[in-house]
Amino acid sequence: MARRSVSAAEPPPAAPRPFWTIARRDTAAGLLFVAPQLAGTLVFILVPLVLVFWYSLHEWNVLANTFRYTGARNYELLSSDPSLPGVLLASALFSAGLVVLNMSLALLLAVLLNQKLAGIAVFRTLFFSPVVVSLVAWTIVWGFLLQHNGGINGTLRLLGIEGPNWLRTPATAMLSVIVVQVFKNVGLNMVLFLAALQGVPRELYEAARIDGATRWRQFRRITLPLISPTILLTSIITIVGSLQVFAQIAVLTQGGPGVSTTVLVYYLYQQTFQFHRFGYGSTLAILLFAIVALLTLAQWQLRKRFVFHER
Amino acid sequence: MNGEISARMKVALYGLLCVLLIPFVFPTWWMLTSSLKPISDIFVFPPELFPTHPDWSSYAQVFTVQPFAQQYWNSAWIAAVVTAATLAISSMAGYAFARIRFPGANALFIVVLTGLLIPSEVTIVPLFRMFLKLGWVNTHWPLVLIPVFGAPSVFATFVMRQFFIALPAELEEAARVDGLGRFRIFRTIALPLARPALASVAIFTFLHSWNLYLEPIVFLSTPSKFTLPQALTQYTDAYGGPMWNIQLAAATLTALPVLIVFVLAQKQFVEGLAHTGLKG
Amino acid sequence: MFHCKTFASFRAIAGGLALSLALAAGAAAETRLRMTIWSANEAHLKLFNGIAEGFKKENPDVTVSFESLPFENYTTALTTQIAGGNAPDMAWIFETAAFDFVNSGALLPLTKPLAATPGYNLGELSPAATERWSKEGVLYAYPFSTSPFAVFVNNDLIRKAGAKTPAELIAAGQWTWPQAIATAQAVAQTGKGGLVVRDFNYQAWQYLSSVWNAWGAAPWSADGKRCTLADKPMVDALGFIHDAIFVKKAMPGPGQNVDFFAGDAAMTITQISRASLLPRDKRFDWDLVPLPKGPTGDYAIVGQAGIGVLQSGKNPAAAAAFVAYMTNPENSARLAQFFPSARKSLLNAEVLGKTNALLSPAQLDRVVVAGIATGKVMPAHTDFARLQQMVRAGLDAVWQPKADIPAATRAICAQIAPLLAQ
């Protein structure tokens, strides 16, 4: 990156103004600095987004090697797809379950760890450790534990309980996938909540305690509002992230049993890369994008209502 | 949370934490110990916490069933390149958006930020065709280019910008008065101060690349080009049923290095993340 | 300075490119052909490589290699290779995917190249064998394997469980499905596997046709337009299978992996071509018998595999020549030890016995020859990948301990009816 450095000499007062004023230099510098990121965003994100829409209006038959314009046909197929309601339901269940479990567990752990006790840092590290374990490795181990004759059912049998075939029964399959994902990533949210909790001034709690407020009241009236920006941000990240969960489902259940764990992303993958329906897959991609955009915007709007601002 | 905690409550707290810890720690433990069990012991009842006859042969088989060493190297160098490139691009872009006033800065930032709304799953089809036309399907190029310029690096730019905004500007102001150019200031003053943010960006970029699953299975079809997440799922016998002990050994080999680095550098991991400015 | 350094590196890269281009050009005279297959079996590969060597003797500049893709996702992986611009020159094709490949125009018409090969004798292929692989009288893929399904039996396990062996049941004229399940159940109670429908694994339900054909059931009508999954024969057949799995525990349940050829199961239903998996050291006393009788009496079912030449490959003409060589009468006889040929001259026990050391003439006659002569081919349809998935997802509701089979099959029919109508 060639960047001209400015010599320290002052221009002589009578000379004309140089071309490279501070402002112009700043503009050039600014544009050059952001150029790689901007170019990348354009080429690898925005242009493909337009192209996805373009492909959704076509059908690409791989074997016959044709690429035909079909207009709105893929969208008609979308609205009449008998599998789609099930897929959307699975996605909704997964995201809702994941967000609720993840956020409440993260908050609980953060509150518990927000103590000045010996060894608390060790616990924090251990709770965080799944975040750095390889995603597929983590999923494979859980898959191994969840087998009908695996570790979890083995432990249950020691207690005299006959465990279900976790990954092959519709209800428990979805639960299993949610739980695997929650334990993998809750450490991240826990750390963020912990940082937020530690940013709450202790004096507020002292004052409340003197006034006779119970712990729970303190939590509701002081803690929650003051960490609400963090809650909002992590919930956006968690929800958007939940709509992208793919590897866990591919490894654990392959969308089964039935279509109970076929979330939208997995359905997209099936249609596009297993059945090679690239046009229809693009239509599903547009649907996914719309959902992500809507959810994010909705949550961002909600911040005016729920997020506490000091000013 | 506040006030005195009685000894009873302390014990209760530790107890609760230990119970909660089980699903976080037990799977990793189970992965380690089961990889050392012979296949016949893996599903034995009652389940054994410790392998009674440690059997290291599955670790050797990891490398014979697949070109695992090659796949390990693939994941490693891709992650390294992606991390380095992302650090460079996002730190520059983040710095510019935070510090340099230039026309259209805000608009361009919003344009870049929209990348966060568009997950790679949405754009995978056109990206596939794009790389197909370039002849780069079944190469590692998509695995490097997509994360470096896609959503993960947009997030990195966002984080770097937040950090630079929060950084006190006096040193830089002084340098500007002295007439130093933007790049010089960036390289010699701002970057060194940005170490914590750079560290956490490096960490989550590395992890993201290390864990990439959809892109490898879409783009790669030759086993010697696979990355680790992909390779881990290929340890199946002729039936399609997993060869558990070998698969778990491979999983352990995948997870262990990062885990060890994490244990050694846990402070940087955890605290760097907390200070990414995500508090809102 | 910065500029000089980049220019120097550009020069280095350009030089390197030129060199590799020159090397590639020099090697262009040699033709490399690639065939994708779904077998990784050592014996099979030895045979194929031997045939490739023979071809090389007559065509010294052509080298043929065989790429093994995993069996369970073979068609997907192959189509992805084609989509990715990396199409092989030749490919094995499942009978279930035949319609899609043949109708797509992706395959090179083979009738001319095969007929033009001296001594090929294309006419001795029976129309029944080539029906699925032809369109409007032109052959698009050669059916190199017409493999009947049969039951491999582990007599050691059965005798240990005190049950009747299939051979005894056949002699007594009692080789029916209920009897077969009773034997399987007895063995399952000793802790080993009972009857395994190989390759089914609760995913590839098309292999269950080896069972439900006994009831005269089929997933869709003969013309492929109507869903018949909810009809009585299929519901009865599924009910029988469900009972065998969940009540009698005679068949492995979802998630259980049992391998007959490792000696862990009483019986397995699979294609004859799997005989190569039998342990050579005769670890257990095995037998090969036809499928048991069902409510509709005797029946036979065959799986087929075809070899096609892909038009998008780089050397279709050379590839067609290799296919002609690999499937000529002489090599067909060699292939026949694993892959029963569709050539009429090779369909008798002596020929098959000559090249197939493991099976006895009686077994070959009873199972192979009769099977091929009367067998129905496994179900197939256009857009099979999607249909397969939808039926598979719907059948998951059947593979639960408490299942409402009529309701489940009706639901599947509702889902796939629009697809079948096309």
Side-chain angles (χ1 to χ4, degrees):
Chain A
M1 262 209 40
R3 178 73 207 102
R4 260 181 259 184
S5 27
V6 180
S7 77
E10 295 264 298
R17 282 209 315 163
F19 179 72
W20 286 107
T21 58
I22 305 274
R24 285 224 180 86
R25 243 180 272 126
D26 261 5
T27 310
L31 288 174
L32 273 171
F33 270 52
V34 305
Q37 178 67 282
L38 202 56
T41 307
L42 255 147
V43 172
F44 288 97
I45 304 182
L46 293 177
V47 165
L49 184 65
V50 173
L51 282 177
V52 169
F53 182 67
W54 175 244
Y55 289 149
S56 70
L57 300 175
H58 291 73
E59 191 52 58
W60 173 22
N61 187 324
V62 172
L63 287 182
N65 207 14
T66 58
F67 188 68
R68 280 182 313 122
Y69 178 75
T70 55
R73 181 148 184 281
N74 282 325
Y75 288 92
E76 287 164 15
L77 283 176
L78 188 71
S79 56
S80 61
D81 187 348
S83 316
L84 195 62
V87 168
L88 290 176
L89 178 66
S91 300
L93 276 176
F94 180 75
S95 293
L98 178 67
V99 168
V100 167
L101 269 176
N102 187 324
M103 303 280 281
S104 30
L105 187 59
L107 199 51
L108 172 68
L109 289 175
V111 165
L112 287 178
L113 290 179
N114 192 20
Q115 319 279 346
K116 282 196 172 39
L117 286 179
I120 220 74
V122 175
F123 278 103
R124 192 189 58 183
T125 305
L126 288 175
F127 281 118
F128 191 79
S129 60
V131 176
V132 297
V133 171
S134 155
L135 175 63
V136 176
W138 179 257
T139 311
I140 285 178
V141 178
W142 274 94
F144 175 57
L145 285 168
L146 287 167
Q147 291 291 306
H148 202 179
N149 51 349
I152 292 185
N153 281 352
T155 316
L156 287 176
R157 243 202 285 170
L158 284 175
L159 302 170
I161 311 173
E162 185 66 37
N165 196 343
W166 295 96
L167 295 173
R168 301 272 183 160
T169 320
T172 55
M174 175 54 89
L175 183 65
S176 308
V177 180
I178 293 178
V179 163
V180 171
Q181 177 64 357
V182 166
F183 285 122
K184 174 84 177 54
N185 273 334
V186 73
L188 262 174
N189 286 352
M190 172 193 81
V191 162
L192 293 173
F193 282 147
L194 201 53
L197 282 177
Q198 284 166 352
V200 177
R202 290 203 160 265
E203 303 84 55
L204 291 176
Y205 292 123
E206 285 300 319
R209 208 166 52 87
I210 292 172
D211 280 349
T214 61
R215 280 232 173 87
W216 175 245
R217 221 174 144 142
Q218 293 169 26
F219 183 72
R220 262 191 56 200
R221 291 301 185 142
I222 302 176
T223 319
L224 276 185
L226 282 177
I227 62 172
S228 51
T230 309
I231 296 183
L232 177 75
L233 223 49
T234 51
S235 72
I236 292 181
I237 296 176
T238 310
I239 289 190
V240 173
S242 74
L243 288 168
Q244 299 175 268
V245 166
F246 173 75
Q248 295 83 328
I249 300 194
V251 172
L252 283 176
T253 59
Q254 294 91 50
V259 287
S260 58
T261 58
T262 305
V263 296
L264 188 54
V265 169
Y266 193 73
Y267 190 57
L268 200 163
Y269 169 75
Q270 274 183 334
Q271 295 294 316
T272 312
F273 294 103
Q274 286 187 341
F275 310 142
H276 301 101
R277 296 173 77 200
F278 289 93
Y280 189 61
S282 302
T283 320
L284 291 171
I286 296 282
L287 179 64
L288 178 63
F289 170 64
I291 294 178
V292 168
L294 274 172
L295 275 177
T296 310
L297 287 173
Q299 286 186 287
W300 193 246
Q301 288 300 97
L302 279 179
R303 89 185 193 282
K304 298 203 188 90
R305 264 193 66 187
F306 287 111
V307 172
F308 175 81
H309 287 291
E310 278 176 356
R311 284 175 257 299
Chain B
M1 195 154 42
N2 36 34
E4 294 296 323
I5 305 181
S6 64
R8 257 187 40 189
M9 275 211 71
K10 265 193 210 167
V11 170
L13 187 63
Y14 277 122
L16 179 62
L17 283 175
C18 282
V19 169
L20 284 173
L21 203 54
I22 295 177
F24 290 85
V25 172
F26 184 67
T28 313
W29 174 253
W30 196 246
M31 172 178 73
L32 262 158
T33 55
S34 294
S35 65
L36 292 173
K37 293 182 192 161
I39 187 89
S40 47
D41 279 355
I42 280 196
F43 286 115
V44 80
F45 176 78
E48 306 173 330
L49 264 184
F50 284 93
T52 45
H53 314 285
D55 178 6
W56 295 87
S57 64
S58 42
Y59 279 91
Q61 285 181 284
V62 165
F63 291 93
T64 54
V65 173
Q66 284 205 86
F68 194 68
Q70 175 70 42
Q71 292 158 341
Y72 214 97
W73 171 245
N74 291 341
S75 271
W77 84 258
I78 292 176
V81 169
V82 167
T83 306
T86 305
L87 281 177
I89 294 182
S90 65
S91 59
M92 285 207 301
Y95 179 74
F97 281 126
R99 287 281 196 252
I100 306 181
R101 258 177 202 78
F102 57 99
N106 280 333
L108 286 178
F109 184 59
I110 303 218
V111 167
V112 168
L113 219 51
T114 56
L116 282 178
L117 279 182
I118 306 172
S120 56
E121 293 81 11
V122 168
T123 50
I124 192 84
V125 176
L127 286 174
F128 179 70
R129 274 209 100 174
M130 192 190 297
F131 284 107
L132 183 63
K133 293 244 164 76
L134 288 169
W136 283 351
V137 171
N138 207 26
T139 67
H140 288 146
W141 279 110
L143 301 187
V144 171
L145 292 175
I146 295 180
V148 166
F149 293 106
S153 84
V154 170
F155 187 66
T157 302
F158 177 78
V159 165
M160 295 306 297
R161 174 180 181 264
Q162 297 294 89
F163 177 83
F164 282 123
I165 287 182
L167 199 64
E170 291 93 31
L171 277 173
E172 298 167 58
E173 294 297 316
R176 288 208 67 196
V177 167
D178 282 349
L180 282 169
R182 278 293 185 186
F183 190 67
R184 238 0 224 297
I185 298 179
F186 172 70
R187 195 165 50 88
T188 55
I189 301 176
L191 262 191
L193 288 175
R195 277 216 189 91
L198 286 175
S200 52
V201 165
I203 289 169
F204 71 69
T205 308
F206 184 85
L207 285 178
H208 183 267
S209 171
W210 191 252
N211 283 332
L212 261 188
Y213 187 67
L214 178 66
E215 286 80 355
I217 60 177
V218 165
F219 288 104
L220 301 176
S221 47
T222 320
S224 60
K225 300 214 175 86
F226 284 175
T227 56
L228 283 177
Q230 208 175 3
L232 284 181
T233 58
Q234 306 284 343
Y235 284 99
T236 52
D237 55 27
Y239 243 138
M243 299 189 283
W244 288 114
N245 55 342
I246 306 181
Q247 200 176 42
L248 289 171
T252 308
L253 286 174
T254 307
L256 216 49
V258 184
L259 260 180
I260 293 177
V261 169
F262 167 68
V263 165
L264 293 174
Q266 42 180 283
K267 267 194 79 172
Q268 281 87 314
F269 268 78
V270 175
E271 271 163 33
L273 216 62
H275 293 129
T276 51
L278 279 181
K279 287 187 266 186
Chain C
M1 262 287 297
F2 179 73
H3 296 288
C4 294
K5 275 196 223 148
T6 43
F7 188 63
S9 41
F10 273 133
R11 273 208 308 221
I13 296 173
L17 263 176
L19 181 60
S20 38
L21 274 174
L23 280 173
E30 167 150 359
T31 314
R32 296 184 165 281
L33 296 178
R34 179 168 60 98
M35 180 189 293
T36 54
I37 66 177
W38 58 69
S39 164
N41 183 286
E42 298 263 350
H44 293 172
L45 285 170
K46 206 158 148 236
L47 175 62
F48 300 144
N49 284 322
I51 296 179
E53 294 287 305
F55 187 72
K56 204 175 165 86
K57 284 203 194 87
E58 295 165 27
N59 305 275
D61 55 346
V62 179
T63 316
V64 182
S65 64
F66 299 93
E67 182 185 355
S68 299
L69 300 176
F71 177 83
E72 41 167 27
N73 290 323
Y74 176 82
T75 309
T76 305
L78 173 62
T79 315
T80 305
Q81 279 197 3
I82 300 174
N86 187 25
D89 300 284
M90 305 159 278
W92 282 10
I93 301 173
F94 279 114
E95 72 280 280
T96 46
F99 291 136
D100 283 322
F101 275 88
V102 169
N103 289 325
S104 67
L107 299 176
L108 186 75
L110 289 178
T111 310
K112 274 223 197 80
L114 293 181
T117 310
Y120 191 81
N121 198 358
L122 185 61
E124 73 163 333
L125 292 180
S126 62
T130 56
E131 187 207 333
R132 203 170 269 204
W133 309 94
S134 318
K135 195 169 74 163
E136 288 154 17
V138 181
L139 187 70
Y140 283 89
Y142 180 88
F144 74 97
S145 174
T146 305
S147 192
F149 282 84
V151 186
F152 284 88
V153 184
N154 184 333
N155 283 323
D156 285 341
L157 289 181
I158 296 178
R159 287 199 201 97
K160 231 195 280 185
K164 292 218 181 107
T165 68
E168 293 163 10
L169 288 168
I170 294 175
Q174 288 178 334
W175 182 229
T176 62
W177 266 108
Q179 286 288 351
I181 291 296
T183 301
Q185 186 180 12
V187 175
Q189 277 163 357
T190 67
K192 291 284 188 182
L195 180 123
V196 183
V197 178
R198 196 173 170 94
D199 300 321
F200 162 52
N201 217 9
Y202 294 93
Q203 307 266 0
W205 52 264
Q206 61 265 31
Y207 288 95
L208 286 179
S209 54
S210 56
V211 182
W212 66 48
N213 272 31
W215 277 255
W220 40 72
S221 55
D223 60 3
K225 296 240 184 268
R226 206 174 52 83
C227 173
T228 55
L229 268 169
D231 292 359
K232 187 168 186 326
M234 181 60 86
V235 175
D236 286 345
L238 286 176
F240 179 84
I241 299 176
H242 182 274
D243 185 68
I245 300 172
F246 291 100
V247 176
K248 301 209 171 64
K249 312 245 193 273
M251 294 170 70
Q256 280 183 280
N257 291 321
V258 183
D259 188 3
F260 169 86
F261 294 101
D264 290 335
M267 295 173 270
T268 188
I269 300 182
T270 185
Q271 296 176 301
I272 302 295
S273 32
R274 299 307 172 90
S276 56
L277 291 170
L278 286 166
R280 298 205 158 270
D281 53 2
K282 261 247 159 194
R283 227 174 293 147
F284 52 85
D285 176 23
W286 61 267
D287 193 6
L288 178 70
V289 298
L291 297 166
K293 255 198 269 240
T296 57
D298 281 314
Y299 70 105
I301 185 161
V302 294
Q304 280 195 310
I307 303 183
V309 172
L310 291 167
Q311 303 239 34
S312 46
K314 294 194 189 68
N315 296 291
F322 179 70
V323 172
Y325 177 78
M326 182 172 172
T327 59
N328 66 26
E330 184 195 329
N331 283 324
S332 285
R334 293 166 72 190
L335 289 172
Q337 61 180 296
F338 301 123
F339 309 105
S341 173
R343 288 173 175 277
K344 293 205 194 92
S345 61
L346 294 175
L347 270 188
N348 56 66
E350 321 155 32
V351 172
L352 288 172
K354 254 188 254 167
T355 47
N356 199 326
L358 284 171
L359 304 178
S360 74
Q363 288 169 331
L364 287 166
D365 226 353
R366 204 170 41 181
V367 179
V368 182
V369 181
I372 296 182
T374 61
K376 255 188 172 174
V377 189
M378 278 218 304
H381 202 278
T382 49
D383 209 2
F384 187 74
R386 224 172 14 129
L387 269 176
Q388 210 278 351
Q389 164 65 18
M390 290 169 91
V391 175
R392 181 209 309 190
L395 281 178
D396 273 338
V398 173
W399 312 130
Q400 305 287 336
K402 298 211 179 343
D404 182 353
I405 297 181
T409 51
R410 273 198 298 270
I412 303 177
C413 270
Q415 280 225 318
I416 68 175
L419 238 70
L420 291 177
Q422 287 167 15

